[in-house]
Amino acid sequence: MDALDREILSLLQQDGRATMTDVASKVGLSLSACHRRFRELEASGVIRGFSIDLDLDLLGVPFEALVFVTMKAGDASAVAAFEEAVSTIPNVVQAHRLFGEPDYQLFVAAASKQHYQELYDQQLSQLPGVQRLTSTLVMKTVVAHHAPI
């Protein structure tokens, strides 16, 4: 991957709907050369796909919390059971397994404080293998998820 590939990726990360013609003109390549590089980036797996960035407020789930999960045990079966179960909860927007303590960080979106409390009591605290949950509320997103290109 060279500087032109990185520039193409940066432009697409900023605007996934940019046309290949626009990207080619901004990076100084012909349309065919830019498209070839794009296809190579897809084939290599660097570009995994395209998605949309949804506004949680407008979707009716403006209450955002980070939930830190400490597991009772860290064996393979406990980890697999937890990960399978947590992946079925629609309000868990993102989940990360961590090194050290705690074991997981979940990003949860809810309709309200009451809705979050219900999710916490009825689903999150009932996940297999959970020893302790600790929550903190999101005040503001300062840097949105992006790849360092």
Side-chain angles (χ1 to χ4, degrees):
M1 184 177 333
D2 63 13
L4 281 173
D5 289 335
R6 290 184 187 283
E7 195 172 349
I8 290 167
L9 293 172
S10 180
L11 289 168
L12 290 173
Q13 185 169 239
Q14 292 170 30
D15 180 7
R17 295 183 73 182
T19 66
M20 202 53 57
T21 303
D22 289 339
V23 173
S25 69
K26 288 179 181 174
V27 299
L29 289 174
S30 69
L31 179 58
S32 61
C34 187
H35 199 261
R36 179 183 47 76
R37 284 175 176 263
F38 174 80
R39 283 193 312 266
E40 289 171 0
L41 289 165
E42 278 186 310
S44 71
V46 172
I47 296 174
R48 294 186 299 197
F50 286 85
S51 62
I52 57 174
D53 183 16
L54 302 174
D55 186 312
L56 296 176
D57 289 346
L58 296 176
L59 287 172
V61 285
F63 191 89
E64 301 172 41
L66 297 176
V67 181
F68 300 96
V69 181
T70 301
M71 301 292 289
K72 293 176 189 170
D75 59 271
S77 62
V79 166
F82 173 83
E83 291 179 1
E84 183 177 330
V86 79
S87 69
T88 66
I89 302 173
N91 292 82
V92 175
V93 177
Q94 205 170 46
H96 297 282
R97 186 171 179 197
L98 308 174
F99 284 108
E101 289 281 332
D103 298 299
Y104 290 90
Q105 176 187 320
L106 312 179
F107 178 74
V108 178
S112 65
K113 184 170 45 173
Q114 176 65 32
H115 181 222
Y116 174 70
Q117 186 237 318
E118 291 167 6
L119 283 167
Y120 187 97
D121 291 345
Q122 296 168 15
Q123 292 184 288
L124 299 176
S125 66
Q126 303 305 310
L127 288 166
V130 170
Q131 175 182 332
R132 182 171 30 115
L133 299 174
T134 306
S135 298
T136 189
L137 304 181
V138 175
M139 179 187 297
K140 171 180 154 184
T141 299
V142 178
V143 177
H145 180 76
H146 68 281
I149 299 176

